[in-house]
Amino acid sequence: MKFGSWYLCVFVTTFIYFYIYAVNYVRGGSVPSSLHPEFHPPKTIHGYLTESVEHLYRQGRQLDGEQRDARQGSLGPGVQQPVFPRLSMQYHNYTSMTTYLRHVSTIYANLTALYSIGQSVQGRELWVMVVSSSPYEHMIGKPNVKYVANMHGNEAVGRELMLHLILYLVQNYDTDYYVRWLLDNTRIHVMPSMNPDGFEVASEGTCQGGQGRYNARGFDLNRNFPDYFKQNNKRSQPETEAVKEWISKIQFVLSGNIHGGALVASYPFDNTPNSIFSSVLSTPSLTPDDDVFKHLAGAYSFNHGRMFTGEPCKVGAPQFENGTTNGAAWYPLTGGMQDYNYIWHGCMEVTLELSCCKFPPSAELQGFWEDNRKSLLRFLGEAHRGVKGFVKDENFQPIEGASMKVRGRDVGFQTTKEGEFWRILLPGIYTMEVFAEGFAPREVQFAIVEQNPTMLNVTLYQDTPRRDGNTNSEPVEGAAPSGLFSFNPLSGLKESATNLLAKLPLIG
């Protein structure tokens, strides 16, 4: 080897040696010495430098491993990494459920927010977990959706599925494209138990019966809401009042009410105006948005592992085509929560019956989770179907509380304080009617396509009073009155009765 080449090689090797030595010194490593048991004195200077470099390199790799282990485990004496939540496939009582929800909200504070909407009769909190990329504040233009489970305390599968759904969403936000899209564009409110008192007295393995179904005062919470068709004289309960106040403050677009005891997705109306025959014969009671409700129920059923087959739970039980049914066609009830959501607040709620056995053994929970995971996720995405937008005045200021309805669909909805609105609709051509106090009413035609929601921004203009003191706005010819209660399900019944009486012979 030429002298110049040898000199250059020694220089480079020496430089690398001192560089690695300096790095390891900062990390806490040590220089090899003759006292080290693994040290073997080389015969040449070049050999010494080469072995020293290799030793320092191995020591650096070892330090990297130790530091990586430290990040995953202990950060130092008495300091531990946060323990990430785990959830077993078993039932969780109120205490363990509360501990779990608090743990998740602490570890995943960037994706979750835990709040209570009130207390049960016995003082248990009615917990709700928001799961979203903006959990602590409303995202302008992004819809709110919700799941409410365990309304009947002995129908326990939904309660556990909600706990697993929360964990699935936060743990897959960084890896699952659909989950990330859902959390970035939606605020998901999950109430695992609306009736925690009832759950505490229910018994695992009990498929039928009423133990735990009712709240601590013996009231069925799904018969405790105001009813549009018949007067509900049942005394309102704390759990019901809490939910009513909750949905009056947040404009929910879509909701799932989770039950057990059957395997079907049931949609409004649950009640019927036909009081003469309702106690004898169950007949469909259809909403103005019947096409949308059938679609929403089908979206859950067809994404479910078994629901779409419509197979009855037992011999003699009803068989549901495609795993869906109109609520009143199955059996009518007064004071149901899904009718209240829809008529009073314009929120489209579907009742999801997820298990033939109301409180099955915990060994079956894994199967229920596998059957329902996809449908629970896909159902929430339906909130992004239809039309959305803002209602503002000519100065671009949002108009809060503007009454809106789609022509021919006389159950209305209202704008938020930011002037936002959403409405789930299937593809087609529609006309939106918009009314607000102090403004001239407006009609806007728009189209809905399958792929993306239609963005519709509506500008309202101030009413100008006439000389007689009235406004210039004229009622829309043939239009139904505005508001949440403009739908009259009795109109068809009255017309049929009039036609029937006209055909009867006159006597006397």
Side-chain angles (χ1 to χ4, degrees), residues 278-476:
S278 61
S279 59
V280 179
L281 182 64
S282 296
T283 56
S285 181
L286 306 182
T287 70
D289 291 293
D290 186 61
D291 59 336
V292 176
F293 276 114
K294 285 179 178 176
H295 169 82
L296 293 174
Y300 197 94
S301 176
F302 285 109
N303 282 291
H304 187 275
R306 297 178 296 119
M307 186 182 290
F308 65 93
T309 65
E311 296 178 0
C313 283
K314 59 183 178 181
V315 178
Q319 185 170 355
F320 303 107
E321 184 179 358
N322 297 327
T324 67
T325 184
N326 173 260
W330 184 13
Y331 63 91
L333 62 90
T334 300
M337 186 166 69
Q338 73 174 6
D339 284 7
Y340 176 80
N341 268 268
Y342 176 57
I343 298 175
W344 265 258
H345 297 283
C347 172
M348 293 186 169
E349 179 167 288
V350 175
T351 297
L352 306 170
E353 302 273 356
L354 302 186
S355 61
C356 292
C357 179
K358 293 186 176 183
F359 204 148
S362 59
E364 300 178 18
L365 286 175
Q366 182 65 45
F368 285 116
W369 171 243
E370 295 301 327
D371 282 344
N372 287 277
R373 180 180 60 191
K374 181 179 178 181
S375 49
L376 287 169
L377 294 170
R378 296 297 171 182
F379 182 78
L380 294 174
E382 292 298 318
H384 297 278
R385 174 186 297 276
V387 62
K388 64 178 182 178
F390 296 85
V391 177
K392 298 184 178 182
D393 62 19
E394 59 265 43
N395 298 316
F396 305 104
Q397 295 302 309
I399 300 176
E400 180 180 2
S403 296
M404 308 184 71
K405 70 182 183 69
V406 179
R407 179 178 292 176
R409 298 168 184 258
D410 292 336
V411 172
F413 50 101
Q414 294 184 323
T415 56
T416 68
K417 64 180 181 179
E418 289 86 9
E420 309 154 286
F421 69 89
W422 301 265
R423 196 62 167 178
I424 303 174
L425 293 167
L426 301 185
I429 305 296
Y430 302 90
T431 299
M432 184 73 75
E433 299 175 1
V434 188
F435 306 82
E437 185 176 356
F439 294 88
R442 180 122 186 246
E443 294 182 357
V444 183
Q445 193 174 71
F446 62 99
I448 298 294
V449 296
E450 179 68 31
Q451 289 79 11
N452 297 299
T454 296
M455 188 69 183
L456 179 66
N457 294 324
V458 181
T459 302
L460 295 184
Y461 297 91
Q462 292 282 346
D463 254 345
T464 54
R466 301 186 311 203
R467 291 183 179 181
D468 59 5
N470 296 320
T471 60
N472 286 323
S473 59
E474 297 292 340
V476 180

Side-chain angles (χ1 to χ4, degrees), residues 60-343:
R61 292 293 299 271
Q62 182 180 357
L63 284 170
D64 284 341
E66 292 173 354
Q67 291 172 359
R68 183 170 57 252
D69 293 341
R71 287 194 298 269
Q72 295 174 351
S74 173
L75 296 176
V79 180
Q80 296 290 327
Q81 274 279 17
V83 178
F84 286 89
R86 294 182 180 180
L87 190 66
S88 59
M89 283 292 177
Q90 63 184 23
Y91 294 104
H92 297 81
N93 61 19
Y94 173 76
T95 301
S96 58
M97 179 184 72
T98 300
T99 301
Y100 164 77
L101 292 174
R102 285 174 171 164
H103 189 190
V104 171
S105 67
T106 300
I107 299 300
Y108 296 97
N110 61 320
L111 294 175
T112 62
L114 181 63
Y115 67 97
S116 171
I117 65 168
Q119 293 184 334
S120 66
V121 171
Q122 295 180 344
R124 294 182 174 92
E125 300 293 342
L126 302 178
W127 293 118
V128 176
M129 180 76 87
V130 179
V131 187
S132 172
S133 61
S134 178
Y136 289 96
E137 59 182 15
H138 172 63
M139 297 184 290
I140 303 297
K142 307 298 175 65
N144 288 278
V145 299
K146 63 182 170 72
Y147 277 129
V148 177
N150 202 212
M151 187 180 196
H152 293 145
N154 63 336
E155 297 170 11
V157 171
R159 174 185 173 115
E160 296 306 315
L161 293 185
M162 292 301 97
L163 300 181
H164 284 277
L165 176 64
I166 291 169
L167 191 60
Y168 183 88
L169 290 172
V170 297
Q171 288 185 340
N172 288 275
Y173 177 75
D174 292 326
T175 57
D176 188 303
Y177 172 80
Y178 180 78
V179 170
R180 174 178 282 271
W181 169 82
L182 201 59
L183 269 60
D184 284 347
N185 294 279
T186 325
R187 298 189 79 234
I188 304 167
H189 302 248
V190 180
M191 179 188 285
S193 182
M194 183 181 165
N195 186 5
D197 296 349
F199 178 84
E200 295 300 313
V201 299
S203 299
E204 181 179 346
T206 304
C207 291
Q208 303 298 326
Q211 183 179 353
R213 174 184 178 90
Y214 310 103
N215 77 341
R217 291 177 181 164
F219 284 81
D220 188 330
L221 298 180
N222 205 31
R223 309 292 189 275
N224 199 236
F225 285 84
D227 196 281
Y228 182 68
F229 298 95
K230 299 179 180 70
Q231 185 174 358
N232 190 358
N233 295 318
K234 294 183 174 65
R235 184 159 56 100
S236 188
Q237 296 303 293
E239 297 91 345
T240 309
E241 286 299 312
V243 170
K244 287 164 60 179
E245 184 178 4
W246 178 38
I247 61 181
S248 71
K249 292 180 177 179
I250 301 174
Q251 189 184 77
F252 290 104
V253 178
L254 179 64
S255 175
N257 179 13
I258 301 179
H259 287 256
L263 194 60
V264 65
S266 172
Y267 53 88
F269 289 121
D270 269 336
N271 211 349
T272 173
N274 191 350
S275 58
I276 301 175
F277 303 105
S278 61
S279 59
V280 179
L281 182 64
S282 296
T283 56
S285 181
L286 306 182
T287 70
D289 291 293
D290 186 61
D291 59 336
V292 176
F293 276 114
K294 285 179 178 176
H295 169 82
L296 293 174
Y300 197 94
S301 176
F302 285 109
N303 282 291
H304 187 275
R306 297 178 296 119
M307 186 182 290
F308 65 93
T309 65
E311 296 178 0
C313 283
K314 59 183 178 181
V315 178
Q319 185 170 355
F320 303 107
E321 184 179 358
N322 297 327
T324 67
T325 184
N326 173 260
W330 184 13
Y331 63 91
L333 62 90
T334 300
M337 186 166 69
Q338 73 174 6
D339 284 7
Y340 176 80
N341 268 268
Y342 176 57
I343 298 175

